Amino acid sequence: CNAIVSHGSVVGNHVHLAPGSILAGNCQIGDLTTIGMSSTVYESLKIGKNCLTYNNSSVLTNLEDNQQLDQNGKIKKRK
């Protein structure tokens, strides 16, 4: 799908890396998380379980379990 997973990153079970998504080095992605199309997760960030990043988002901070990040950088509780 043209997704990029850089050095040292750990991807959990049942994670969906949508086309064009990028994980910089040393990222940790929790189980059941979706990284949206063309989203970028910056270096050494941790994204919890059951999270969602919207398409074209830049992830600049860690996300706790059950959170979602929209294109404007707002973090909300995921249902």
Side-chain angles (χ1 to χ4, degrees):
C1 301
N2 199 30
I4 298 171
V5 179
S6 293
H7 62 87
S9 292
V10 177
V11 178
N13 295 313
H14 308 291
V15 170
H16 177 65
L17 299 176
S21 59
I22 300 171
L23 303 181
N26 301 311
C27 292
Q28 294 181 14
I29 310 298
D31 298 342
L32 302 169
T33 289
T34 297
I35 306 298
M37 289 186 297
S38 300
S39 292
T40 301
V41 180
Y42 283 72
E43 178 139 9
S44 300
L45 291 180
K46 295 180 183 179
I47 297 180
K49 296 178 182 177
N50 191 41
C51 290
L52 169 68
T53 66
Y54 282 47
N55 297 339
N56 300 309
S57 61
S58 293
V59 183
L60 303 172
T61 187
N62 294 332
L63 295 178
E64 301 296 326
D65 293 348
N66 304 306
Q67 289 186 326
Q68 63 186 29
L69 177 73
D70 68 17
Q71 299 95 325
N72 299 317
K74 294 187 181 186
I75 298 172
K76 299 177 185 176
K77 182 81 172 163
R78 187 170 186 199
K79 298 178 183 179

